[in-house]
Amino acid sequence: MDTQTYSWVSENAPWLLIVIVVVSIVGWILRILNDWSPLVKKLLGPLGRHWAEKSARRFIRSGADYENMNKQILYLYGRVTHLEYEEQLNHTFRIEDETWHRKVDLKFAGSDDIPRRRTYDEFRAEYERLHPYRRPEVNAADL
């Protein structure tokens, strides 16, 4: 709407602006409800069918997003498997460390010989040598 028309409407018929805003909001809400509810689509009749067809065409045109979505899923799958591996490593270290602390407590109870405690980095190096991380091979067609 150009400034001259807006000025004329706001001076002579301000209620028209309110009507335009309300009709726009109601139309927007009905379009959303039309996509979600078959009952609303049925109540709107030909307008509901038109909006549904337009929405379906828009959805079909956005088919290129599926390839991007598959790439994201593959990336997240790789991240999750790596995080599971890291969690297994950390859990195994905590168990070993807990065992070491238990042995130290028992040794302090009756002996001066303290067992050597491995650092996390030493443990991680040995763990990765014994249990190497293998990135999963997954194709987009498998999803």
Side-chain angles (χ1 to χ4, degrees):
M1 187 181 297
D2 64 349
T3 56
Q4 186 179 8
T5 307
Y6 179 79
S7 298
W8 183 85
V9 170
S10 61
E11 290 173 9
N12 298 323
W15 55 270
L16 187 58
L17 290 175
I18 295 171
V19 169
I20 290 172
V21 168
V22 168
V23 167
S24 298
I25 291 173
V26 168
W28 178 69
I29 291 172
L30 285 176
R31 281 187 127 174
I32 291 172
L33 291 176
N34 186 58
D35 286 341
W36 288 352
S37 170
L39 178 63
V40 172
K41 189 185 312 181
K42 195 175 199 177
L43 290 174
L44 291 175
L47 182 62
R49 285 192 298 277
H50 171 72
W51 281 346
E53 290 169 4
K54 191 173 180 180
S55 178
R57 282 193 302 268
R58 193 175 334 117
F59 182 74
I60 290 170
R61 268 185 299 200
S62 69
D65 290 342
Y66 286 127
E67 185 176 326
N68 187 28
M69 208 174 349
N70 282 339
K71 287 178 185 175
Q72 290 175 0
I73 289 171
L74 290 174
Y75 169 75
L76 290 175
Y77 180 74
R79 276 297 286 149
V80 166
T81 55
H82 181 71
L83 291 172
E84 287 173 342
Y85 174 80
E86 289 284 323
E87 175 55 30
Q88 181 64 38
L89 183 146
N90 290 333
H91 177 70
T92 307
F93 176 75
R94 284 192 306 269
I95 290 174
E96 180 181 297
D97 197 47
E98 180 182 308
T99 305
W100 180 86
H101 282 280
R102 176 76 176 138
K103 287 178 183 176
V104 166
D105 289 344
L106 292 175
K107 291 287 184 180
F108 272 131
S111 171
D112 293 333
D113 186 26
I114 299 174
R116 183 182 175 283
R117 180 179 181 267
R118 291 192 294 175
T119 66
Y120 179 78
D121 291 334
E122 292 170 341
F123 176 82
R124 182 180 181 118
E126 183 180 341
Y127 184 89
E128 288 176 344
R129 185 179 55 79
L130 295 174
H131 309 283
Y133 174 70
R134 290 180 184 83
R135 188 174 192 100
E137 297 293 326
V138 179
N139 296 323
D142 295 339
L143 297 176

Short mmCIF file of all heavy atoms in Angstrom, two decimals, residues 1-56:
data_model
loop_
_atom_site.label_atom_id
_atom_site.label_comp_id
_atom_site.label_asym_id
_atom_site.label_seq_id
_atom_site.Cartn_x
_atom_site.Cartn_y
_atom_site.Cartn_z
N MET A 1 0.86 -1.16 0.00
CA MET A 1 0.00 0.00 0.00
C MET A 1 0.91 1.23 0.00
O MET A 1 1.78 1.37 0.85
CB MET A 1 -0.89 -0.05 1.25
CG MET A 1 -1.94 1.02 1.28
SD MET A 1 -2.97 1.00 2.78
CE MET A 1 -3.78 -0.55 2.69
N ASP A 2 0.69 2.13 -0.96
CA ASP A 2 1.52 3.32 -1.03
C ASP A 2 1.13 4.32 0.05
O ASP A 2 0.08 4.21 0.68
CB ASP A 2 1.49 3.95 -2.42
CG ASP A 2 0.10 4.44 -2.80
OD1 ASP A 2 -0.86 4.11 -2.08
OD2 ASP A 2 -0.03 5.17 -3.80
N THR A 3 1.97 5.31 0.28
CA THR A 3 1.76 6.25 1.39
C THR A 3 0.51 7.10 1.20
O THR A 3 -0.18 7.42 2.17
CB THR A 3 2.98 7.17 1.55
OG1 THR A 3 3.24 7.83 0.31
CG2 THR A 3 4.19 6.36 1.97
N GLN A 4 0.18 7.45 -0.04
CA GLN A 4 -1.01 8.29 -0.28
C GLN A 4 -2.28 7.50 0.06
O GLN A 4 -3.18 8.03 0.73
CB GLN A 4 -1.03 8.73 -1.75
CG GLN A 4 -2.14 9.71 -2.05
CD GLN A 4 -2.11 10.16 -3.51
OE1 GLN A 4 -1.36 9.62 -4.31
NE2 GLN A 4 -2.93 11.14 -3.84
N THR A 5 -2.34 6.24 -0.36
CA THR A 5 -3.51 5.41 -0.06
C THR A 5 -3.61 5.17 1.44
O THR A 5 -4.69 5.25 2.03
CB THR A 5 -3.42 4.07 -0.80
OG1 THR A 5 -3.21 4.32 -2.18
CG2 THR A 5 -4.66 3.24 -0.62
N TYR A 6 -2.48 4.88 2.06
CA TYR A 6 -2.47 4.65 3.51
C TYR A 6 -2.95 5.88 4.26
O TYR A 6 -3.74 5.78 5.19
CB TYR A 6 -1.06 4.25 3.96
CG TYR A 6 -0.97 4.01 5.44
CD1 TYR A 6 -1.42 2.82 6.00
CD2 TYR A 6 -0.45 4.98 6.29
CE1 TYR A 6 -1.34 2.59 7.35
CE2 TYR A 6 -0.37 4.77 7.64
CZ TYR A 6 -0.82 3.58 8.17
OH TYR A 6 -0.76 3.36 9.51
N SER A 7 -2.50 7.05 3.84
CA SER A 7 -2.92 8.30 4.49
C SER A 7 -4.42 8.51 4.33
O SER A 7 -5.12 8.88 5.27
CB SER A 7 -2.18 9.50 3.91
OG SER A 7 -0.81 9.39 4.11
N TRP A 8 -4.93 8.27 3.11
CA TRP A 8 -6.36 8.46 2.88
C TRP A 8 -7.19 7.50 3.73
O TRP A 8 -8.16 7.90 4.35
CB TRP A 8 -6.69 8.24 1.39
CG TRP A 8 -8.13 8.49 1.09
CD1 TRP A 8 -8.71 9.67 0.81
CD2 TRP A 8 -9.17 7.51 1.10
NE1 TRP A 8 -10.06 9.50 0.62
CE2 TRP A 8 -10.37 8.17 0.81
CE3 TRP A 8 -9.20 6.14 1.33
CZ2 TRP A 8 -11.59 7.52 0.73
CZ3 TRP A 8 -10.42 5.49 1.26
CH2 TRP A 8 -11.60 6.18 0.96
N VAL A 9 -6.77 6.21 3.77
CA VAL A 9 -7.52 5.22 4.56
C VAL A 9 -7.44 5.54 6.03
O VAL A 9 -8.46 5.48 6.75
CB VAL A 9 -6.98 3.80 4.27
CG1 VAL A 9 -7.57 2.78 5.24
CG2 VAL A 9 -7.30 3.39 2.85
N SER A 10 -6.27 5.94 6.53
CA SER A 10 -6.14 6.20 7.96
C SER A 10 -6.92 7.45 8.38
O SER A 10 -7.37 7.54 9.52
CB SER A 10 -4.67 6.33 8.35
OG SER A 10 -4.08 7.40 7.67
N GLU A 11 -7.10 8.40 7.46
CA GLU A 11 -7.87 9.61 7.79
C GLU A 11 -9.37 9.40 7.61
O GLU A 11 -10.17 9.88 8.41
CB GLU A 11 -7.42 10.78 6.92
CG GLU A 11 -6.04 11.27 7.25
CD GLU A 11 -5.55 12.31 6.25
OE1 GLU A 11 -6.34 12.76 5.40
OE2 GLU A 11 -4.36 12.65 6.32
N ASN A 12 -9.79 8.69 6.55
CA ASN A 12 -11.21 8.58 6.23
C ASN A 12 -11.86 7.29 6.72
O ASN A 12 -13.06 7.30 7.00
CB ASN A 12 -11.40 8.71 4.71
CG ASN A 12 -10.93 10.05 4.22
OD1 ASN A 12 -11.11 11.05 4.89
ND2 ASN A 12 -10.32 10.08 3.05
N ALA A 13 -11.11 6.21 6.79
CA ALA A 13 -11.71 4.95 7.21
C ALA A 13 -10.70 4.14 8.03
O ALA A 13 -10.21 3.10 7.58
CB ALA A 13 -12.17 4.16 5.99
N PRO A 14 -10.38 4.58 9.26
CA PRO A 14 -9.40 3.83 10.06
C PRO A 14 -9.88 2.42 10.42
O PRO A 14 -9.08 1.52 10.63
CB PRO A 14 -9.22 4.70 11.30
CG PRO A 14 -10.40 5.57 11.35
CD PRO A 14 -10.88 5.74 9.94
N TRP A 15 -11.18 2.23 10.47
CA TRP A 15 -11.72 0.92 10.77
C TRP A 15 -11.35 -0.08 9.68
O TRP A 15 -11.26 -1.28 9.93
CB TRP A 15 -13.25 0.99 10.93
CG TRP A 15 -13.93 1.59 9.72
CD1 TRP A 15 -14.20 2.90 9.52
CD2 TRP A 15 -14.35 0.90 8.55
NE1 TRP A 15 -14.78 3.08 8.29
CE2 TRP A 15 -14.89 1.85 7.67
CE3 TRP A 15 -14.33 -0.44 8.16
CZ2 TRP A 15 -15.39 1.52 6.43
CZ3 TRP A 15 -14.85 -0.76 6.92
CH2 TRP A 15 -15.37 0.22 6.06
N LEU A 16 -11.12 0.39 8.45
CA LEU A 16 -10.76 -0.51 7.36
C LEU A 16 -9.41 -1.18 7.60
O LEU A 16 -9.23 -2.36 7.27
CB LEU A 16 -10.73 0.27 6.03
CG LEU A 16 -10.55 -0.55 4.77
CD1 LEU A 16 -11.67 -1.58 4.63
CD2 LEU A 16 -10.53 0.37 3.56
N LEU A 17 -8.48 -0.45 8.20
CA LEU A 17 -7.19 -1.06 8.54
C LEU A 17 -7.35 -2.20 9.53
O LEU A 17 -6.72 -3.25 9.41
CB LEU A 17 -6.24 0.00 9.10
CG LEU A 17 -5.74 1.05 8.12
CD1 LEU A 17 -4.90 2.09 8.85
CD2 LEU A 17 -4.93 0.39 7.03
N ILE A 18 -8.22 -1.98 10.51
CA ILE A 18 -8.47 -3.03 11.51
C ILE A 18 -9.10 -4.25 10.84
O ILE A 18 -8.71 -5.39 11.11
CB ILE A 18 -9.36 -2.49 12.65
CG1 ILE A 18 -8.59 -1.40 13.41
CG2 ILE A 18 -9.77 -3.61 13.58
CD1 ILE A 18 -9.42 -0.65 14.41
N VAL A 19 -10.04 -4.02 9.94
CA VAL A 19 -10.69 -5.13 9.23
C VAL A 19 -9.66 -5.90 8.40
O VAL A 19 -9.65 -7.13 8.40
CB VAL A 19 -11.85 -4.60 8.34
CG1 VAL A 19 -12.35 -5.69 7.39
CG2 VAL A 19 -12.98 -4.08 9.19
N ILE A 20 -8.78 -5.19 7.70
CA ILE A 20 -7.76 -5.85 6.88
C ILE A 20 -6.83 -6.70 7.74
O ILE A 20 -6.52 -7.85 7.40
CB ILE A 20 -6.96 -4.80 6.07
CG1 ILE A 20 -7.85 -4.19 4.99
CG2 ILE A 20 -5.72 -5.42 5.45
CD1 ILE A 20 -7.22 -3.02 4.27
N VAL A 21 -6.41 -6.18 8.88
CA VAL A 21 -5.52 -6.93 9.78
C VAL A 21 -6.23 -8.16 10.32
O VAL A 21 -5.66 -9.27 10.34
CB VAL A 21 -5.01 -6.02 10.91
CG1 VAL A 21 -4.34 -6.83 12.00
CG2 VAL A 21 -4.07 -4.96 10.37
N VAL A 22 -7.47 -8.00 10.76
CA VAL A 22 -8.22 -9.14 11.33
C VAL A 22 -8.45 -10.20 10.26
O VAL A 22 -8.26 -11.40 10.51
CB VAL A 22 -9.55 -8.66 11.95
CG1 VAL A 22 -10.46 -9.82 12.27
CG2 VAL A 22 -9.29 -7.83 13.19
N VAL A 23 -8.84 -9.81 9.05
CA VAL A 23 -9.08 -10.77 7.98
C VAL A 23 -7.77 -11.50 7.63
O VAL A 23 -7.77 -12.72 7.40
CB VAL A 23 -9.68 -10.07 6.74
CG1 VAL A 23 -9.64 -10.97 5.51
CG2 VAL A 23 -11.11 -9.64 7.04
N SER A 24 -6.67 -10.78 7.61
CA SER A 24 -5.38 -11.41 7.31
C SER A 24 -5.01 -12.44 8.37
O SER A 24 -4.56 -13.54 8.05
CB SER A 24 -4.28 -10.35 7.22
OG SER A 24 -4.55 -9.46 6.19
N ILE A 25 -5.18 -12.11 9.64
CA ILE A 25 -4.85 -13.03 10.73
C ILE A 25 -5.75 -14.26 10.69
O ILE A 25 -5.29 -15.39 10.84
CB ILE A 25 -4.91 -12.31 12.09
CG1 ILE A 25 -3.76 -11.30 12.20
CG2 ILE A 25 -4.85 -13.31 13.24
CD1 ILE A 25 -3.81 -10.42 13.41
N VAL A 26 -7.06 -14.04 10.49
CA VAL A 26 -8.00 -15.17 10.42
C VAL A 26 -7.65 -16.07 9.23
O VAL A 26 -7.67 -17.30 9.35
CB VAL A 26 -9.47 -14.65 10.34
CG1 VAL A 26 -10.42 -15.78 9.97
CG2 VAL A 26 -9.88 -14.03 11.65
N GLY A 27 -7.33 -15.48 8.09
CA GLY A 27 -6.94 -16.27 6.92
C GLY A 27 -5.69 -17.09 7.18
O GLY A 27 -5.61 -18.26 6.81
N TRP A 28 -4.72 -16.50 7.85
CA TRP A 28 -3.48 -17.19 8.18
C TRP A 28 -3.76 -18.37 9.10
O TRP A 28 -3.26 -19.48 8.90
CB TRP A 28 -2.51 -16.20 8.82
CG TRP A 28 -1.21 -16.78 9.24
CD1 TRP A 28 -0.21 -17.23 8.45
CD2 TRP A 28 -0.78 -16.98 10.59
NE1 TRP A 28 0.84 -17.69 9.22
CE2 TRP A 28 0.50 -17.54 10.54
CE3 TRP A 28 -1.35 -16.72 11.83
CZ2 TRP A 28 1.21 -17.87 11.67
CZ3 TRP A 28 -0.63 -17.03 12.95
CH2 TRP A 28 0.62 -17.60 12.87
N ILE A 29 -4.59 -18.15 10.12
CA ILE A 29 -4.94 -19.22 11.07
C ILE A 29 -5.71 -20.33 10.36
O ILE A 29 -5.46 -21.52 10.59
CB ILE A 29 -5.73 -18.65 12.27
CG1 ILE A 29 -4.81 -17.78 13.13
CG2 ILE A 29 -6.36 -19.76 13.09
CD1 ILE A 29 -5.52 -17.01 14.21
N LEU A 30 -6.65 -19.96 9.47
CA LEU A 30 -7.41 -20.99 8.75
C LEU A 30 -6.52 -21.82 7.83
O LEU A 30 -6.74 -23.02 7.68
CB LEU A 30 -8.54 -20.34 7.94
CG LEU A 30 -9.74 -19.86 8.76
CD1 LEU A 30 -10.74 -19.14 7.86
CD2 LEU A 30 -10.41 -21.03 9.47
N ARG A 31 -5.51 -21.20 7.22
CA ARG A 31 -4.59 -21.97 6.37
C ARG A 31 -3.83 -22.99 7.19
O ARG A 31 -3.61 -24.13 6.75
CB ARG A 31 -3.60 -21.04 5.69
CG ARG A 31 -4.18 -20.34 4.51
CD ARG A 31 -3.10 -19.60 3.80
NE ARG A 31 -3.17 -20.01 2.41
CZ ARG A 31 -2.44 -19.48 1.48
NH1 ARG A 31 -1.55 -18.57 1.77
NH2 ARG A 31 -2.57 -19.88 0.24
N ILE A 32 -3.39 -22.60 8.37
CA ILE A 32 -2.68 -23.55 9.23
C ILE A 32 -3.61 -24.67 9.67
O ILE A 32 -3.27 -25.85 9.60
CB ILE A 32 -2.08 -22.81 10.45
CG1 ILE A 32 -0.94 -21.89 9.99
CG2 ILE A 32 -1.56 -23.80 11.49
CD1 ILE A 32 -0.41 -21.00 11.07
N LEU A 33 -4.81 -24.32 10.11
CA LEU A 33 -5.77 -25.34 10.53
C LEU A 33 -6.17 -26.24 9.37
O LEU A 33 -6.44 -27.43 9.55
CB LEU A 33 -7.00 -24.68 11.15
CG LEU A 33 -6.79 -24.00 12.50
CD1 LEU A 33 -8.06 -23.30 12.94
CD2 LEU A 33 -6.34 -24.99 13.54
N ASN A 34 -6.23 -25.69 8.16
CA ASN A 34 -6.58 -26.47 6.98
C ASN A 34 -5.55 -27.57 6.74
O ASN A 34 -5.90 -28.68 6.35
CB ASN A 34 -6.66 -25.54 5.76
CG ASN A 34 -7.17 -26.26 4.54
OD1 ASN A 34 -8.26 -26.80 4.55
ND2 ASN A 34 -6.37 -26.27 3.49
N ASP A 35 -4.27 -27.29 6.98
CA ASP A 35 -3.24 -28.31 6.81
C ASP A 35 -3.28 -29.36 7.91
O ASP A 35 -2.90 -30.51 7.69
CB ASP A 35 -1.85 -27.66 6.81
CG ASP A 35 -1.57 -26.91 5.51
OD1 ASP A 35 -2.26 -27.19 4.51
OD2 ASP A 35 -0.66 -26.06 5.51
N TRP A 36 -3.73 -29.00 9.08
CA TRP A 36 -3.72 -29.92 10.22
C TRP A 36 -4.99 -30.72 10.38
O TRP A 36 -4.97 -31.81 10.93
CB TRP A 36 -3.47 -29.15 11.51
CG TRP A 36 -2.09 -28.64 11.66
CD1 TRP A 36 -1.01 -28.89 10.86
CD2 TRP A 36 -1.62 -27.77 12.67
NE1 TRP A 36 0.09 -28.24 11.31
CE2 TRP A 36 -0.25 -27.53 12.42
CE3 TRP A 36 -2.20 -27.14 13.75
CZ2 TRP A 36 0.53 -26.72 13.23
CZ3 TRP A 36 -1.42 -26.34 14.54
CH2 TRP A 36 -0.07 -26.13 14.29
N SER A 37 -6.12 -30.18 9.95
CA SER A 37 -7.39 -30.81 10.28
C SER A 37 -8.23 -31.08 9.02
O SER A 37 -8.59 -30.15 8.30
CB SER A 37 -8.17 -29.91 11.24
OG SER A 37 -9.48 -30.37 11.39
N PRO A 38 -8.60 -32.34 8.79
CA PRO A 38 -9.49 -32.64 7.66
C PRO A 38 -10.88 -32.02 7.84
O PRO A 38 -11.54 -31.68 6.87
CB PRO A 38 -9.59 -34.16 7.67
CG PRO A 38 -8.53 -34.65 8.58
CD PRO A 38 -8.12 -33.53 9.46
N LEU A 39 -11.30 -31.86 9.10
CA LEU A 39 -12.61 -31.25 9.36
C LEU A 39 -12.64 -29.80 8.88
O LEU A 39 -13.61 -29.37 8.23
CB LEU A 39 -12.94 -31.33 10.85
CG LEU A 39 -14.27 -30.68 11.28
CD1 LEU A 39 -15.44 -31.41 10.63
CD2 LEU A 39 -14.39 -30.68 12.78
N VAL A 40 -11.59 -29.05 9.18
CA VAL A 40 -11.53 -27.65 8.73
C VAL A 40 -11.49 -27.60 7.21
O VAL A 40 -12.14 -26.76 6.59
CB VAL A 40 -10.32 -26.93 9.36
CG1 VAL A 40 -10.14 -25.55 8.77
CG2 VAL A 40 -10.47 -26.84 10.87
N LYS A 41 -10.73 -28.52 6.60
CA LYS A 41 -10.65 -28.57 5.14
C LYS A 41 -12.02 -28.81 4.53
O LYS A 41 -12.41 -28.21 3.54
CB LYS A 41 -9.69 -29.67 4.71
CG LYS A 41 -9.38 -29.67 3.24
CD LYS A 41 -8.51 -30.85 2.82
CE LYS A 41 -7.33 -31.04 3.70
NZ LYS A 41 -6.46 -32.14 3.29
N LYS A 42 -12.77 -29.69 5.19
CA LYS A 42 -14.11 -30.00 4.70
C LYS A 42 -15.04 -28.80 4.88
O LYS A 42 -15.85 -28.49 4.00
CB LYS A 42 -14.64 -31.21 5.47
CG LYS A 42 -15.83 -31.87 4.86
CD LYS A 42 -16.17 -33.12 5.66
CE LYS A 42 -17.04 -34.04 4.85
NZ LYS A 42 -17.33 -35.27 5.55
N LEU A 43 -14.94 -28.13 6.03
CA LEU A 43 -15.79 -26.97 6.29
C LEU A 43 -15.50 -25.81 5.35
O LEU A 43 -16.41 -25.05 4.99
CB LEU A 43 -15.62 -26.50 7.75
CG LEU A 43 -16.19 -27.41 8.82
CD1 LEU A 43 -15.82 -26.90 10.21
CD2 LEU A 43 -17.71 -27.52 8.69
N LEU A 44 -14.25 -25.67 4.94
CA LEU A 44 -13.89 -24.58 4.03
C LEU A 44 -14.26 -24.87 2.58
O LEU A 44 -14.24 -23.96 1.75
CB LEU A 44 -12.40 -24.27 4.15
CG LEU A 44 -11.96 -23.65 5.46
CD1 LEU A 44 -10.44 -23.52 5.49
CD2 LEU A 44 -12.61 -22.30 5.69
N GLY A 45 -14.59 -26.11 2.28
CA GLY A 45 -15.05 -26.47 0.94
C GLY A 45 -13.99 -26.26 -0.12
O GLY A 45 -12.84 -26.68 0.03
N PRO A 46 -14.36 -25.58 -1.24
CA PRO A 46 -13.41 -25.40 -2.34
C PRO A 46 -12.15 -24.62 -1.92
O PRO A 46 -11.06 -24.90 -2.41
CB PRO A 46 -14.20 -24.60 -3.38
CG PRO A 46 -15.62 -24.73 -3.01
CD PRO A 46 -15.67 -25.05 -1.56
N LEU A 47 -12.31 -23.65 -1.03
CA LEU A 47 -11.16 -22.89 -0.57
C LEU A 47 -10.19 -23.80 0.19
O LEU A 47 -8.98 -23.72 0.02
CB LEU A 47 -11.60 -21.72 0.32
CG LEU A 47 -10.50 -20.82 0.84
CD1 LEU A 47 -9.78 -20.15 -0.33
CD2 LEU A 47 -11.06 -19.78 1.79
N GLY A 48 -10.74 -24.69 1.02
CA GLY A 48 -9.91 -25.64 1.75
C GLY A 48 -9.17 -26.58 0.83
O GLY A 48 -8.00 -26.88 1.03
N ARG A 49 -9.86 -27.07 -0.23
CA ARG A 49 -9.20 -27.95 -1.20
C ARG A 49 -8.09 -27.20 -1.94
O ARG A 49 -7.01 -27.74 -2.17
CB ARG A 49 -10.23 -28.52 -2.17
CG ARG A 49 -11.10 -29.61 -1.57
CD ARG A 49 -11.91 -30.35 -2.62
NE ARG A 49 -12.85 -29.49 -3.32
CZ ARG A 49 -14.07 -29.16 -2.86
NH1 ARG A 49 -14.48 -29.64 -1.71
NH2 ARG A 49 -14.86 -28.37 -3.55
N HIS A 50 -8.37 -25.95 -2.31
CA HIS A 50 -7.37 -25.15 -3.01
C HIS A 50 -6.13 -24.95 -2.13
O HIS A 50 -5.00 -25.12 -2.60
CB HIS A 50 -7.97 -23.80 -3.41
CG HIS A 50 -6.97 -22.83 -3.94
ND1 HIS A 50 -6.39 -22.98 -5.18
CD2 HIS A 50 -6.41 -21.72 -3.39
CE1 HIS A 50 -5.53 -22.00 -5.38
NE2 HIS A 50 -5.53 -21.21 -4.31
N TRP A 51 -6.33 -24.59 -0.89
CA TRP A 51 -5.20 -24.39 0.02
C TRP A 51 -4.43 -25.69 0.23
O TRP A 51 -3.21 -25.70 0.33
CB TRP A 51 -5.67 -23.83 1.35
CG TRP A 51 -5.95 -22.36 1.33
CD1 TRP A 51 -5.60 -21.47 0.37
CD2 TRP A 51 -6.64 -21.62 2.32
NE1 TRP A 51 -6.02 -20.22 0.70
CE2 TRP A 51 -6.68 -20.27 1.90
CE3 TRP A 51 -7.26 -21.95 3.52
CZ2 TRP A 51 -7.28 -19.27 2.64
CZ3 TRP A 51 -7.85 -20.95 4.26
CH2 TRP A 51 -7.87 -19.62 3.82
N ALA A 52 -5.17 -26.82 0.33
CA ALA A 52 -4.50 -28.12 0.53
C ALA A 52 -3.65 -28.47 -0.69
O ALA A 52 -2.52 -28.95 -0.55
CB ALA A 52 -5.54 -29.20 0.79
N GLU A 53 -4.18 -28.24 -1.91
CA GLU A 53 -3.41 -28.53 -3.12
C GLU A 53 -2.18 -27.63 -3.21
O GLU A 53 -1.09 -28.08 -3.57
CB GLU A 53 -4.29 -28.34 -4.36
CG GLU A 53 -5.35 -29.41 -4.51
CD GLU A 53 -6.37 -29.07 -5.58
OE1 GLU A 53 -6.20 -28.04 -6.27
OE2 GLU A 53 -7.33 -29.83 -5.73
N LYS A 54 -2.35 -26.37 -2.86
CA LYS A 54 -1.23 -25.43 -2.89
C LYS A 54 -0.16 -25.85 -1.88
O LYS A 54 1.04 -25.80 -2.17
CB LYS A 54 -1.74 -24.03 -2.58
CG LYS A 54 -0.74 -22.94 -2.82
CD LYS A 54 -1.37 -21.58 -2.65
CE LYS A 54 -0.36 -20.49 -2.90
NZ LYS A 54 -0.94 -19.16 -2.74
N SER A 55 -0.59 -26.28 -0.71
CA SER A 55 0.35 -26.74 0.31
C SER A 55 1.08 -28.00 -0.15
O SER A 55 2.28 -28.15 0.07
CB SER A 55 -0.40 -26.99 1.62
OG SER A 55 0.45 -27.48 2.60
N ALA A 56 0.35 -28.91 -0.80
CA ALA A 56 0.97 -30.15 -1.29
C ALA A 56 1.99 -29.84 -2.38
O ALA A 56 3.08 -30.43 -2.39
CB ALA A 56 -0.11 -31.10 -1.83
#
